[in-house]
């Protein structure tokens, strides 16, 4: 188990390093730099000496490899520099926007899991073939809908027509409902697709046949026997769903004019705020690898067959086979 955890932790660190390096290369090799963005946004023309001082202050007059090493060392200490928009620490800016996005993402994830789970259970449990096919057709339809279009439709109906929820901004639960539904719809659809397919496969397993032969009802078979095993593939995609939440937050927070990391990202990209954008990219990678690491840790606890299969892998087997079993 210790070797398994160390290997997963090493992979997580590698992903973070890759996210930092790729974002550095992309952001720092494009035309212009931090000082160019600052001088272009300034209303007061700066002298050559002032520009030189700024380049020395931000370290952009150093060779690229030196800049990379200094910024990587600073990032390891949680320092991504200051935003060129307001001079505030990038870390403080992200931490300041985090509570709003975390509340939105948590609410949306709850709606997605509950809604997608109920849809998959009802579709798998119904004995009506046409009803099952109708319910299973809903997730692909929901995935195909553009997120911004769904948000605008919800605002038009529930804010402007009925006046039930605020159209933009808003505090408390009322301000979260429409953005959370918009964000949860594609994620819940993916969750429902994965869970319904897993339930369909589990209902044909031998232990389900045995349970039915003993007289166990359809609902009991579904909830007590098939759901536990079918839920494991859905748990596996939790990391992907969290990544989709962060990506969807950029669109949703912009449509509903909500403060948060998504809107902060749009502002950073628009202003060419390179330190802020890089800090957000690395923060998103940190959230992604943390969720996947948690899933990797609890997966063998929920399904002991994974740990048993890993421990029984013969040494002479190729490495690729071991990865498949893990």
């Amino acid at each position: 188990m210790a070797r398994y955890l160390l290997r997963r932790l090493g992979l997580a660190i590698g992903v973070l390093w890759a996210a930092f390096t790729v974002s550095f290369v992309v952001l720092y090799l494009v035309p212009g730099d931090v000082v160019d963005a600052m001088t272009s946004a300034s209303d007061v023309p700066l002298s050559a000496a002032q520009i030189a001082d700024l380049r020395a202050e931000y370290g952009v007059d150093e060779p690229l490899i030196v800049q990379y090493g200094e910024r990587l060392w600073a990032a390891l200490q949680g320092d991504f520099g200051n935003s060129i928009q307001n001079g505030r620490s990038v870390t403080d800016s992200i931490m300041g926007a985090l509570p709003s996005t975390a509340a939105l993402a948590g609410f949306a994830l709850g709606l997605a899991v509950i809604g997608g789970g109920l849809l998959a259970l009802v579709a798998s449990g119904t004995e009506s073939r046409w009803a099952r096919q109708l319910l299973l057709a809903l997730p692909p339809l929901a995935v195909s809908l553009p997120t911004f279009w769904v948000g605008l439709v919800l605002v038009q109906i529930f804010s402007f027509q009925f006046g039930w929820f605020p159209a933009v901004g808003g505090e408390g639960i009322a301000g979260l409902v429409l953005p959370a539904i918009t964000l949860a719809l594609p994620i819940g659809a993916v969750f429902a697709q994965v869970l319904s397919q897993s339930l369909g496969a589990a209902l044909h397993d031998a232990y389900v046949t045995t349970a039915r032969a003993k007289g166990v009802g359809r609902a009991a078979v579904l909830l007590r026997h098939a759901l536990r095993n079918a839920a494991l593939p859905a748990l596996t995609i939790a990391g992907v769903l969290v990544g989709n939440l962060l990506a969807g937050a950029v669109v949703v927070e912009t449509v509903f004019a909500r403060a948060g990391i998504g809107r902060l990202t749009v502002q950073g990209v628009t202003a060419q705020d390179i330190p802020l954008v890089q800090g957000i990219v690395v923060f998103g990678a940190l959230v992604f690898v943390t969720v996947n690491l948690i899933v990797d840790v609890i997966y063998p606890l929920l399904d002991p067959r994974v740990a048993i299969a890993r421990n029984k892998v013969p040494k002479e087997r190729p490495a690729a086979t071991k990865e498949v079993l893990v």
Side-chain angles (χ1 to χ4, degrees):
M1 188 68 178
R3 180 181 297 178
Y4 172 76
L5 292 177
L6 287 175
R7 188 174 61 176
R8 294 300 180 187
L9 184 60
L11 291 174
I13 294 174
V15 170
L16 287 176
W17 171 79
F20 177 88
T21 302
V22 171
S23 63
F24 177 88
V25 171
V26 172
L27 294 174
Y28 283 83
L29 289 185
V30 296
D33 53 31
V34 176
V35 175
D36 292 334
M38 293 177 65
T39 54
S40 62
S42 175
D43 296 330
V44 180
L46 300 180
S47 65
Q50 290 174 317
I51 294 176
D53 290 341
L54 283 175
R55 290 188 177 281
E57 179 182 349
Y58 281 90
V60 294
D61 58 344
E62 300 282 353
L64 189 62
I65 187 64
V66 176
Q67 294 183 47
Y68 174 77
E70 291 178 347
R71 295 199 63 82
L72 180 59
W73 175 248
L76 290 175
Q77 303 174 62
D79 180 14
F80 289 91
N82 297 328
S83 168
I84 65 173
Q85 299 178 80
N86 50 28
R88 190 182 177 191
S89 166
V90 169
T91 304
D92 291 343
S93 297
I94 294 174
M95 291 298 104
L98 180 59
S100 177
T101 300
L104 173 61
F107 196 9
L109 184 61
L111 291 177
V113 172
I114 294 174
L118 286 176
L119 178 61
L121 286 173
V122 173
S124 302
T126 182
E127 297 183 3
S128 172
R129 183 177 180 182
W130 70 266
R132 181 168 57 253
Q133 292 178 341
L134 176 62
L135 292 173
L136 293 179
L138 295 179
L141 176 63
V143 171
S144 65
L145 297 177
T147 303
F148 71 92
W149 181 82
V150 173
L152 293 176
V153 170
L154 292 178
V155 167
Q156 179 65 33
I157 296 175
F158 295 103
S159 296
F160 296 151
Q161 187 169 349
F162 295 117
W164 291 351
F165 303 104
V168 296
E171 300 293 337
I173 298 298
L176 272 177
V177 173
L178 295 185
I181 292 176
T182 305
L183 191 57
L185 192 60
I187 297 170
V190 173
F191 184 80
Q193 279 185 304
V194 174
L195 185 58
S196 59
Q197 290 176 1
S198 301
L199 283 171
L203 288 175
H204 290 86
D205 284 343
Y207 65 90
V208 171
T209 304
T210 302
R212 285 174 174 168
K214 291 181 178 179
V216 180
R218 187 176 182 87
V221 167
L222 189 66
L223 297 176
R224 296 178 185 174
H225 299 279
L227 181 58
R228 180 176 179 179
N229 292 327
L232 294 175
L235 176 65
T236 305
I237 64 168
V240 178
L241 295 181
V242 170
N244 290 341
L245 279 174
L246 293 177
V250 175
V251 177
V252 172
E253 289 177 354
T254 301
V255 170
F256 290 93
R258 288 182 55 85
I261 292 180
R263 197 174 180 190
L264 191 67
T265 304
V266 175
Q267 294 173 348
V269 172
T270 303
Q272 294 183 316
D273 195 338
I274 294 176
L276 180 61
V277 174
Q278 187 176 33
I280 293 174
V281 170
V282 176
F283 174 77
L286 176 62
V287 174
F288 184 81
V289 300
T290 300
V291 172
N292 278 278
L293 189 60
I294 293 174
V295 171
D296 287 339
V297 170
I298 66 176
Y299 203 96
L301 301 179
L302 295 177
D303 188 358
R305 294 174 299 177
V306 176
I308 293 173
R310 185 175 61 248
N311 294 331
K312 287 185 175 180
V313 172
K315 293 182 179 179
E316 62 271 13
R317 284 193 177 185
T321 305
K322 297 180 181 180
E323 294 295 335
V324 171
L325 290 174
V326 171

